Amino acid sequence: MIKYDHTQIEPAWQARWLAQQTPVTEEGDRDRKYYCLVMFPYPSGRIHMGHVRNYTIGDVIARSQRLRGRHVLHPMGWDAFGLPAENAAIEQGVHPASWTMHNISYMKQQLQRLGISYDWKREITTCRPDYYHWNQWFFLKMYERDLAYRKRSSLNWCPKCLTVLANEQVIDGACWRCDSAVTQKELEQWFLRITAYAEELLAGCDRLTGWPERVLTMQRNWIGKSEGAEVKFPLQDRSGTITIFTTRPDTLYGATFMSLAPEHPLVERLIQGKPEAAAVRAFVQEAGRLDRTARLTGNFEKAGVFTGTHAINPLTGQPIPIWVANFVLMDYGTGAIMAVPAHDQRDFEFAKKYGIPVRLVVQNGDRSLRAETMPDAYPEEAGWMVDSGPFTGLSQAEGKAKIIGHLAEHTLGKRTVNYRLRDWGISRQRYWGTPIPILYCDACGVVPVPEEQLPVLLPRDVPFTGKGGSPLAESAEFVQTTCPRCGGKARRETDTMDTFFDSSWYFLRYTAPRETDRPFRREAADYWMPVDQYIGGIEHAVLHLLYSRFFTKVIRDLGLTSADEPFTNLLTQGMVIKDGAKMSKSKGNVVDPNVLIERYGADTARLFSLFAAPPEKDLEWDDQAVEGASRFLHRVWRLVIDHAGQVVRASGAVSPPDSDQASPRAQTLRRATHQTIHKVTADLDRHFQFNTAIAALMEFYNLIAQWQAPVSGNSGDGVKAAGGAKATDGDATALAEALRTLLVLLSPFAPHLTEELWQRLGHRGSIFAEHWPEAEPRWLKDELVTIILQINGKLRSQLQVPPELDELEIETRALADPKLQPWIEGKTIRKRIYVPGRLLNLVV
RNA sequence: GCGAGAGUGGCGGAACGGCAGACGCGCCAGCCUUAGGAGCUGGUUCCCGCAAGGGAAUGGGGGUUCAAGUCCCUCCUCUCGCACCA
């Protein structure tokens, strides 16, 4: 017998597939198109087990959809700009471009060794000018539409990466990449106005029915919409007003003080010449020292200081003191709040601490609240308005609506919506990224680089010192240029773009990756978009996935495509963990895919990573379970090889025998065959349950192995019975059908093994040119069904009956069942529940 | 605090409200082998029992139902996300 040797089979097929690949086009029925995309990798050096899992999932989906007749786009590329390359340059003196390209070629070869069926002709690499050209072009389009703008503000700064971070890139106060504590830094930088799309991004979440609920929740939280009102509080001396944002305008009568953020621009004006001035300045300075980490953990004492100034509550007309409080955030709402101690816990505690009155304006249902004795605030949005002038007596909800109306009518305020989402700061003070296509001219100011001068090339000769500051600023040749407007001297912007810019539209570039005069071709994008199935890690729940949705909407509004969401269905696969922790160099629990592939082969690596856990769950690495996957493939190999001769001979027969001609043995096999088709197909359709699909294939294997065992003995070619029943031609064709079906169903999971065995069954064409088999309904029914017999809901016996037997006959047989006798003897049957083909429950 | 998800054998995990534990790993016994970290066969939730069989069991408690891992209520634990967001 020929042994299963993956080291022979796998490289051979990989080479052939690559050579024989026919690329997909936009021709043909769009209903049959299927865009399967996995998040492209950063070329860090070598692939890890997380990649293996990710790309295997994508490949199984792509291959199975192709077998089912879909027109599948399954591309791959490289998210190639980024810090590790630049750090390598600083530490090892190798240029980021060389480092990156070297990694790409190595990782590409690794992916090919996994047998992933990518269309490599569409490969894209974001650090190449043919790609980042269009980053710059999109930036200019956004600049034209005021969706890209420059402003000075306080930004998240990673002291290790020496660059700015977007809010989305700060995780628990630390850098998303290197985990260093993030500080604040005042800088002038470029922003994308993602907030202009806040409402649409939020509303779109409701229509993304193919996304996991938790990702949508994270996006909704991140956008953080809150509805309320802006209210103007006049200063007591009539020198101006302070605008606040509140979600509870109904509690306006209970506002007994105001608080400003320490950074609020009005603070200095309010305290001018006041005896409190020195104390307030000291307080503001102290609050400014509070770092982001402390603020995030809420680990500081709430405190405030009186400014010496009062404002007028616009509804009561009463003067209320203005405080500065360290917990009021400048970058949310207006940086100023009205404080209602009776109905906000923070205000309540603050009022108690500083002896400010508590005024109750919303009563609970049983009217038991008393301002003097409340132990806590009553923050519920329920109950009745009290002590609220003309609004007294209304329900809380009604009061809220009426007060907003009243404010608007008297121009004291208006209904507004606030979002937590901030504009996306994209400037990075690093080298290895897309240059921002902007010039600064002494005469003309900020000047966008004209489209026809794109791309602004990233210069190669830049010193990598690691001392901080934008490296591009060191290249005089790059910086100094002429102004396209006045012809005078100008200097270039030396910051580069956040690499999340690159990945925010790459899925569109794949649809027409070789376009040279536009980012993509509209017809191609309209054909392929949106992505039917997107697969990647949960860690991008808000970062990449939110940015991509934003870009898609901007690109739509630029009139370039009709897609308004990029990804119809999203699968977020779990991490690969070992010994309970994510694999990482520092923990020393890394399994190298190369070692796995060398020892067991790509098919085993693929099968294991799909079988050991459902795709969304974390996958615990288990060396022994890998052995199990390998064992299964060896068994399939032996089974098919042992019967190859028989199958080739049987292929003369046109089709396997139908029910009336088939021997009982053939019937058993045909039933199992079609039931397996049904089960595997359903598991793939229904949430990609690869683990149960593979389990079904294992069961099918077990059955075939059992089925042929008594007949074939160990002769290796067992049409002739050793001593049992004589095998018929029908049996042989049924076996041929079973083995072919097993291979086709297994082929998306273990492509090399199945392709090789397919050839050994005498086929000339590729197994991937086959059609996915269809289950024939008449074989899905069992010859006999098992009826569960229950007494009072407890299993007491079972009955094997033909499926067409009616209820009455089943009951007659049940009552005669000796096992049931002890339970029904001397009892009356009160009720019978019969579930056809399943069970009979007798209540006695 | 708010939100989402999860809790089932020794382990990974299966179960349209209808046989709990499919499939695999591990373990036990046997076969085959000069040998086995190969292969094959059988067994493997727990308790009582020689067995036939019986009982218990899906984080705890309660409920709906002829029937609950699954639906409802409640509590506990864990994971993830958001968080002085006014």
Side-chain angles (χ1 to χ4, degrees), chain A residues 640-641 643-653 717 732-733 735-736 739-740 757-763:
Chain A
V640 176
I641 290 291
H643 297 84
Q646 193 182 338
V647 169
V648 170
R649 270 196 302 283
S651 62
D717 183 4
T733 49
L735 178 64
L739 293 178
R740 284 195 200 107
L757 289 174
W758 190 249
Q759 309 303 315
R760 288 172 185 264
L761 288 186
H763 299 278

PDB file of all heavy atoms in Angstrom, chain A residues 640-641 643-653 717 732-733 735-736 739-740 757-763:
ATOM      1  N   VAL A 640      -9.441   5.063   1.108  1.00  0.00           N
ATOM      2  CA  VAL A 640      -9.634   5.327  -0.316  1.00  0.00           C
ATOM      3  C   VAL A 640      -8.636   4.539  -1.152  1.00  0.00           C
ATOM      4  O   VAL A 640      -9.009   3.929  -2.156  1.00  0.00           O
ATOM      5  CB  VAL A 640      -9.540   6.842  -0.609  1.00  0.00           C
ATOM      6  CG1 VAL A 640      -9.640   7.107  -2.110  1.00  0.00           C
ATOM      7  CG2 VAL A 640     -10.649   7.592   0.132  1.00  0.00           C
ATOM      8  N   ILE A 641      -7.382   4.531  -0.712  1.00  0.00           N
ATOM      9  CA  ILE A 641      -6.373   3.778  -1.465  1.00  0.00           C
ATOM     10  C   ILE A 641      -6.761   2.302  -1.557  1.00  0.00           C
ATOM     11  O   ILE A 641      -6.659   1.687  -2.605  1.00  0.00           O
ATOM     12  CB  ILE A 641      -4.979   3.929  -0.795  1.00  0.00           C
ATOM     13  CG1 ILE A 641      -4.462   5.351  -0.970  1.00  0.00           C
ATOM     14  CG2 ILE A 641      -3.997   2.904  -1.344  1.00  0.00           C
ATOM     15  CD1 ILE A 641      -4.098   5.727  -2.374  1.00  0.00           C
ATOM     16  N   HIS A 643      -9.556   0.994  -1.713  1.00  0.00           N
ATOM     17  CA  HIS A 643     -10.692   0.707  -2.574  1.00  0.00           C
ATOM     18  C   HIS A 643     -10.622   1.389  -3.920  1.00  0.00           C
ATOM     19  O   HIS A 643     -11.574   1.350  -4.688  1.00  0.00           O
ATOM     20  CB  HIS A 643     -11.995   1.075  -1.868  1.00  0.00           C
ATOM     21  CG  HIS A 643     -12.198   0.259  -0.634  1.00  0.00           C
ATOM     22  ND1 HIS A 643     -11.635   0.588   0.564  1.00  0.00           N
ATOM     23  CD2 HIS A 643     -12.847  -0.915  -0.452  1.00  0.00           C
ATOM     24  CE1 HIS A 643     -11.937  -0.338   1.458  1.00  0.00           C
ATOM     25  NE2 HIS A 643     -12.663  -1.259   0.871  1.00  0.00           N
ATOM     26  N   ALA A 644      -9.479   2.006  -4.190  1.00  0.00           N
ATOM     27  CA  ALA A 644      -9.377   2.788  -5.418  1.00  0.00           C
ATOM     28  C   ALA A 644      -9.652   1.922  -6.654  1.00  0.00           C
ATOM     29  O   ALA A 644     -10.419   2.312  -7.529  1.00  0.00           O
ATOM     30  CB  ALA A 644      -8.003   3.436  -5.527  1.00  0.00           C
ATOM     31  N   GLY A 645      -9.059   0.733  -6.674  1.00  0.00           N
ATOM     32  CA  GLY A 645      -9.223  -0.132  -7.838  1.00  0.00           C
ATOM     33  C   GLY A 645     -10.685  -0.457  -8.072  1.00  0.00           C
ATOM     34  O   GLY A 645     -11.201  -0.378  -9.193  1.00  0.00           O
ATOM     35  N   GLN A 646     -11.355  -0.787  -7.003  1.00  0.00           N
ATOM     36  CA  GLN A 646     -12.765  -1.132  -7.056  1.00  0.00           C
ATOM     37  C   GLN A 646     -13.616   0.037  -7.565  1.00  0.00           C
ATOM     38  O   GLN A 646     -14.530  -0.133  -8.351  1.00  0.00           O
ATOM     39  CB  GLN A 646     -13.163  -1.488  -5.622  1.00  0.00           C
ATOM     40  CG  GLN A 646     -14.475  -2.151  -5.468  1.00  0.00           C
ATOM     41  CD  GLN A 646     -14.737  -2.399  -3.984  1.00  0.00           C
ATOM     42  OE1 GLN A 646     -13.816  -2.439  -3.179  1.00  0.00           O
ATOM     43  NE2 GLN A 646     -15.980  -2.533  -3.637  1.00  0.00           N
ATOM     44  N   VAL A 647     -13.265   1.245  -7.072  1.00  0.00           N
ATOM     45  CA  VAL A 647     -14.033   2.431  -7.459  1.00  0.00           C
ATOM     46  C   VAL A 647     -13.822   2.714  -8.941  1.00  0.00           C
ATOM     47  O   VAL A 647     -14.767   3.015  -9.672  1.00  0.00           O
ATOM     48  CB  VAL A 647     -13.628   3.654  -6.606  1.00  0.00           C
ATOM     49  CG1 VAL A 647     -14.231   4.926  -7.188  1.00  0.00           C
ATOM     50  CG2 VAL A 647     -14.074   3.454  -5.171  1.00  0.00           C
ATOM     51  N   VAL A 648     -12.581   2.595  -9.390  1.00  0.00           N
ATOM     52  CA  VAL A 648     -12.298   2.860 -10.793  1.00  0.00           C
ATOM     53  C   VAL A 648     -13.106   1.899 -11.662  1.00  0.00           C
ATOM     54  O   VAL A 648     -13.716   2.285 -12.650  1.00  0.00           O
ATOM     55  CB  VAL A 648     -10.783   2.726 -11.081  1.00  0.00           C
ATOM     56  CG1 VAL A 648     -10.526   2.767 -12.588  1.00  0.00           C
ATOM     57  CG2 VAL A 648     -10.019   3.832 -10.382  1.00  0.00           C
ATOM     58  N   ARG A 649     -13.134   0.618 -11.278  1.00  0.00           N
ATOM     59  CA  ARG A 649     -13.914  -0.364 -12.044  1.00  0.00           C
ATOM     60  C   ARG A 649     -15.394  -0.037 -12.005  1.00  0.00           C
ATOM     61  O   ARG A 649     -16.080  -0.128 -13.003  1.00  0.00           O
ATOM     62  CB  ARG A 649     -13.699  -1.759 -11.472  1.00  0.00           C
ATOM     63  CG  ARG A 649     -12.527  -2.508 -12.121  1.00  0.00           C
ATOM     64  CD  ARG A 649     -12.578  -3.980 -11.817  1.00  0.00           C
ATOM     65  NE  ARG A 649     -12.559  -4.295 -10.406  1.00  0.00           N
ATOM     66  CZ  ARG A 649     -11.461  -4.252  -9.648  1.00  0.00           C
ATOM     67  NH1 ARG A 649     -10.309  -3.880 -10.177  1.00  0.00           N
ATOM     68  NH2 ARG A 649     -11.517  -4.557  -8.374  1.00  0.00           N
ATOM     69  N   ALA A 650     -15.891   0.373 -10.828  1.00  0.00           N
ATOM     70  CA  ALA A 650     -17.322   0.626 -10.666  1.00  0.00           C
ATOM     71  C   ALA A 650     -17.761   1.863 -11.434  1.00  0.00           C
ATOM     72  O   ALA A 650     -18.937   2.061 -11.675  1.00  0.00           O
ATOM     73  CB  ALA A 650     -17.665   0.792  -9.192  1.00  0.00           C
ATOM     74  N   SER A 651     -16.799   2.708 -11.801  1.00  0.00           N
ATOM     75  CA  SER A 651     -17.185   3.947 -12.449  1.00  0.00           C
ATOM     76  C   SER A 651     -17.791   3.699 -13.818  1.00  0.00           C
ATOM     77  O   SER A 651     -18.390   4.578 -14.404  1.00  0.00           O
ATOM     78  CB  SER A 651     -15.994   4.897 -12.559  1.00  0.00           C
ATOM     79  OG  SER A 651     -15.008   4.292 -13.359  1.00  0.00           O
ATOM     80  N   GLY A 652     -17.659   2.440 -14.325  1.00  0.00           N
ATOM     81  CA  GLY A 652     -18.349   2.085 -15.544  1.00  0.00           C
ATOM     82  C   GLY A 652     -19.854   2.153 -15.370  1.00  0.00           C
ATOM     83  O   GLY A 652     -20.569   2.604 -16.261  1.00  0.00           O
ATOM     84  N   ALA A 653     -20.336   1.727 -14.224  1.00  0.00           N
ATOM     85  CA  ALA A 653     -21.765   1.793 -13.938  1.00  0.00           C
ATOM     86  C   ALA A 653     -22.185   3.248 -13.885  1.00  0.00           C
ATOM     87  O   ALA A 653     -21.507   4.076 -13.290  1.00  0.00           O
ATOM     88  CB  ALA A 653     -22.072   1.111 -12.613  1.00  0.00           C
ATOM     89  N   ASP A 717      -8.595  -5.271  -1.710  1.00  0.00           N
ATOM     90  CA  ASP A 717      -9.404  -5.031  -2.896  1.00  0.00           C
ATOM     91  C   ASP A 717     -10.585  -5.984  -2.790  1.00  0.00           C
ATOM     92  O   ASP A 717     -10.597  -7.067  -3.367  1.00  0.00           O
ATOM     93  CB  ASP A 717      -8.582  -5.303  -4.148  1.00  0.00           C
ATOM     94  CG  ASP A 717      -9.388  -4.982  -5.415  1.00  0.00           C
ATOM     95  OD1 ASP A 717     -10.534  -4.496  -5.284  1.00  0.00           O
ATOM     96  OD2 ASP A 717      -8.877  -5.243  -6.502  1.00  0.00           O
ATOM     97  N   ALA A 732     -20.839  -1.960  -5.075  1.00  0.00           N
ATOM     98  CA  ALA A 732     -19.619  -1.311  -5.528  1.00  0.00           C
ATOM     99  C   ALA A 732     -19.884   0.132  -5.952  1.00  0.00           C
ATOM    100  O   ALA A 732     -19.105   1.030  -5.628  1.00  0.00           O
ATOM    101  CB  ALA A 732     -19.006  -2.096  -6.684  1.00  0.00           C
ATOM    102  N   THR A 733     -20.967   0.356  -6.659  1.00  0.00           N
ATOM    103  CA  THR A 733     -21.236   1.736  -7.078  1.00  0.00           C
ATOM    104  C   THR A 733     -21.648   2.597  -5.890  1.00  0.00           C
ATOM    105  O   THR A 733     -21.323   3.773  -5.836  1.00  0.00           O
ATOM    106  CB  THR A 733     -22.322   1.799  -8.175  1.00  0.00           C
ATOM    107  OG1 THR A 733     -23.433   1.016  -7.768  1.00  0.00           O
ATOM    108  CG2 THR A 733     -21.788   1.302  -9.498  1.00  0.00           C
ATOM    109  N   LEU A 735     -20.478   2.231  -2.917  1.00  0.00           N
ATOM    110  CA  LEU A 735     -19.217   2.538  -2.245  1.00  0.00           C
ATOM    111  C   LEU A 735     -18.461   3.633  -3.008  1.00  0.00           C
ATOM    112  O   LEU A 735     -17.905   4.550  -2.416  1.00  0.00           O
ATOM    113  CB  LEU A 735     -18.353   1.279  -2.121  1.00  0.00           C
ATOM    114  CG  LEU A 735     -16.983   1.494  -1.469  1.00  0.00           C
ATOM    115  CD1 LEU A 735     -17.130   1.938  -0.016  1.00  0.00           C
ATOM    116  CD2 LEU A 735     -16.124   0.223  -1.544  1.00  0.00           C
ATOM    117  N   ALA A 736     -18.472   3.517  -4.333  1.00  0.00           N
ATOM    118  CA  ALA A 736     -17.808   4.541  -5.140  1.00  0.00           C
ATOM    119  C   ALA A 736     -18.426   5.906  -4.861  1.00  0.00           C
ATOM    120  O   ALA A 736     -17.730   6.911  -4.669  1.00  0.00           O
ATOM    121  CB  ALA A 736     -17.919   4.199  -6.620  1.00  0.00           C
ATOM    122  N   LEU A 739     -17.303   7.155  -1.342  1.00  0.00           N
ATOM    123  CA  LEU A 739     -15.921   7.628  -1.263  1.00  0.00           C
ATOM    124  C   LEU A 739     -15.743   8.946  -2.010  1.00  0.00           C
ATOM    125  O   LEU A 739     -15.060   9.851  -1.529  1.00  0.00           O
ATOM    126  CB  LEU A 739     -14.963   6.563  -1.807  1.00  0.00           C
ATOM    127  CG  LEU A 739     -14.883   5.286  -0.956  1.00  0.00           C
ATOM    128  CD1 LEU A 739     -13.940   4.281  -1.602  1.00  0.00           C
ATOM    129  CD2 LEU A 739     -14.428   5.589   0.468  1.00  0.00           C
ATOM    130  N   ARG A 740     -16.357   9.060  -3.158  1.00  0.00           N
ATOM    131  CA  ARG A 740     -16.254  10.327  -3.892  1.00  0.00           C
ATOM    132  C   ARG A 740     -16.875  11.459  -3.097  1.00  0.00           C
ATOM    133  O   ARG A 740     -16.333  12.552  -3.019  1.00  0.00           O
ATOM    134  CB  ARG A 740     -16.974  10.221  -5.244  1.00  0.00           C
ATOM    135  CG  ARG A 740     -16.204   9.437  -6.256  1.00  0.00           C
ATOM    136  CD  ARG A 740     -16.780   9.698  -7.645  1.00  0.00           C
ATOM    137  NE  ARG A 740     -16.374   8.617  -8.524  1.00  0.00           N
ATOM    138  CZ  ARG A 740     -17.193   7.667  -8.969  1.00  0.00           C
ATOM    139  NH1 ARG A 740     -18.477   7.695  -8.655  1.00  0.00           N
ATOM    140  NH2 ARG A 740     -16.731   6.713  -9.735  1.00  0.00           N
ATOM    141  N   LEU A 757      -6.145  12.046  -3.709  1.00  0.00           N
ATOM    142  CA  LEU A 757      -6.959  10.828  -3.732  1.00  0.00           C
ATOM    143  C   LEU A 757      -7.948  10.851  -4.891  1.00  0.00           C
ATOM    144  O   LEU A 757      -8.273   9.811  -5.467  1.00  0.00           O
ATOM    145  CB  LEU A 757      -7.689  10.655  -2.395  1.00  0.00           C
ATOM    146  CG  LEU A 757      -6.791  10.274  -1.215  1.00  0.00           C
ATOM    147  CD1 LEU A 757      -7.589  10.268   0.079  1.00  0.00           C
ATOM    148  CD2 LEU A 757      -6.130   8.902  -1.444  1.00  0.00           C
ATOM    149  N   TRP A 758      -8.402  12.045  -5.209  1.00  0.00           N
ATOM    150  CA  TRP A 758      -9.342  12.192  -6.332  1.00  0.00           C
ATOM    151  C   TRP A 758      -8.704  11.662  -7.610  1.00  0.00           C
ATOM    152  O   TRP A 758      -9.322  10.950  -8.389  1.00  0.00           O
ATOM    153  CB  TRP A 758      -9.700  13.674  -6.472  1.00  0.00           C
ATOM    154  CG  TRP A 758     -10.829  13.951  -7.411  1.00  0.00           C
ATOM    155  CD1 TRP A 758     -10.764  14.563  -8.619  1.00  0.00           C
ATOM    156  CD2 TRP A 758     -12.216  13.643  -7.200  1.00  0.00           C
ATOM    157  NE1 TRP A 758     -11.997  14.651  -9.185  1.00  0.00           N
ATOM    158  CE2 TRP A 758     -12.919  14.100  -8.339  1.00  0.00           C
ATOM    159  CE3 TRP A 758     -12.922  13.012  -6.165  1.00  0.00           C
ATOM    160  CZ2 TRP A 758     -14.297  13.961  -8.475  1.00  0.00           C
ATOM    161  CZ3 TRP A 758     -14.294  12.870  -6.297  1.00  0.00           C
ATOM    162  CH2 TRP A 758     -14.967  13.338  -7.438  1.00  0.00           C
ATOM    163  N   GLN A 759      -7.435  12.017  -7.802  1.00  0.00           N
ATOM    164  CA  GLN A 759      -6.720  11.543  -8.988  1.00  0.00           C
ATOM    165  C   GLN A 759      -6.572  10.027  -8.938  1.00  0.00           C
ATOM    166  O   GLN A 759      -6.706   9.345  -9.945  1.00  0.00           O
ATOM    167  CB  GLN A 759      -5.328  12.182  -9.082  1.00  0.00           C
ATOM    168  CG  GLN A 759      -5.318  13.695  -8.965  1.00  0.00           C
ATOM    169  CD  GLN A 759      -6.182  14.395  -9.996  1.00  0.00           C
ATOM    170  OE1 GLN A 759      -6.137  14.043 -11.161  1.00  0.00           O
ATOM    171  NE2 GLN A 759      -6.998  15.346  -9.565  1.00  0.00           N
ATOM    172  N   ARG A 760      -6.321   9.535  -7.740  1.00  0.00           N
ATOM    173  CA  ARG A 760      -6.106   8.091  -7.610  1.00  0.00           C
ATOM    174  C   ARG A 760      -7.395   7.301  -7.789  1.00  0.00           C
ATOM    175  O   ARG A 760      -7.372   6.092  -7.927  1.00  0.00           O
ATOM    176  CB  ARG A 760      -5.456   7.772  -6.264  1.00  0.00           C
ATOM    177  CG  ARG A 760      -3.999   8.223  -6.243  1.00  0.00           C
ATOM    178  CD  ARG A 760      -3.404   8.085  -4.883  1.00  0.00           C
ATOM    179  NE  ARG A 760      -2.047   8.624  -4.863  1.00  0.00           N
ATOM    180  CZ  ARG A 760      -0.959   7.875  -5.007  1.00  0.00           C
ATOM    181  NH1 ARG A 760      -1.059   6.578  -5.174  1.00  0.00           N
ATOM    182  NH2 ARG A 760       0.229   8.441  -4.973  1.00  0.00           N
ATOM    183  N   LEU A 761      -8.525   8.001  -7.753  1.00  0.00           N
ATOM    184  CA  LEU A 761      -9.791   7.335  -8.071  1.00  0.00           C
ATOM    185  C   LEU A 761     -10.055   7.408  -9.568  1.00  0.00           C
ATOM    186  O   LEU A 761     -11.149   7.085 -10.033  1.00  0.00           O
ATOM    187  CB  LEU A 761     -10.950   7.991  -7.310  1.00  0.00           C
ATOM    188  CG  LEU A 761     -11.019   7.744  -5.812  1.00  0.00           C
ATOM    189  CD1 LEU A 761     -12.300   8.344  -5.232  1.00  0.00           C
ATOM    190  CD2 LEU A 761     -10.951   6.260  -5.497  1.00  0.00           C
ATOM    191  N   GLY A 762      -9.062   7.877 -10.291  1.00  0.00           N
ATOM    192  CA  GLY A 762      -9.181   7.822 -11.743  1.00  0.00           C
ATOM    193  C   GLY A 762      -9.710   9.083 -12.405  1.00  0.00           C
ATOM    194  O   GLY A 762     -10.035   9.081 -13.582  1.00  0.00           O
ATOM    195  N   HIS A 763      -9.810  10.165 -11.652  1.00  0.00           N
ATOM    196  CA  HIS A 763     -10.319  11.395 -12.260  1.00  0.00           C
ATOM    197  C   HIS A 763      -9.170  12.174 -12.877  1.00  0.00           C
ATOM    198  O   HIS A 763      -8.087  12.236 -12.317  1.00  0.00           O
ATOM    199  CB  HIS A 763     -10.994  12.271 -11.211  1.00  0.00           C
ATOM    200  CG  HIS A 763     -12.166  11.589 -10.571  1.00  0.00           C
ATOM    201  ND1 HIS A 763     -13.403  11.556 -11.139  1.00  0.00           N
ATOM    202  CD2 HIS A 763     -12.266  10.881  -9.420  1.00  0.00           C
ATOM    203  CE1 HIS A 763     -14.231  10.869 -10.363  1.00  0.00           C
ATOM    204  NE2 HIS A 763     -13.564  10.436  -9.302  1.00  0.00           N
TER     205      HIS A 763
END
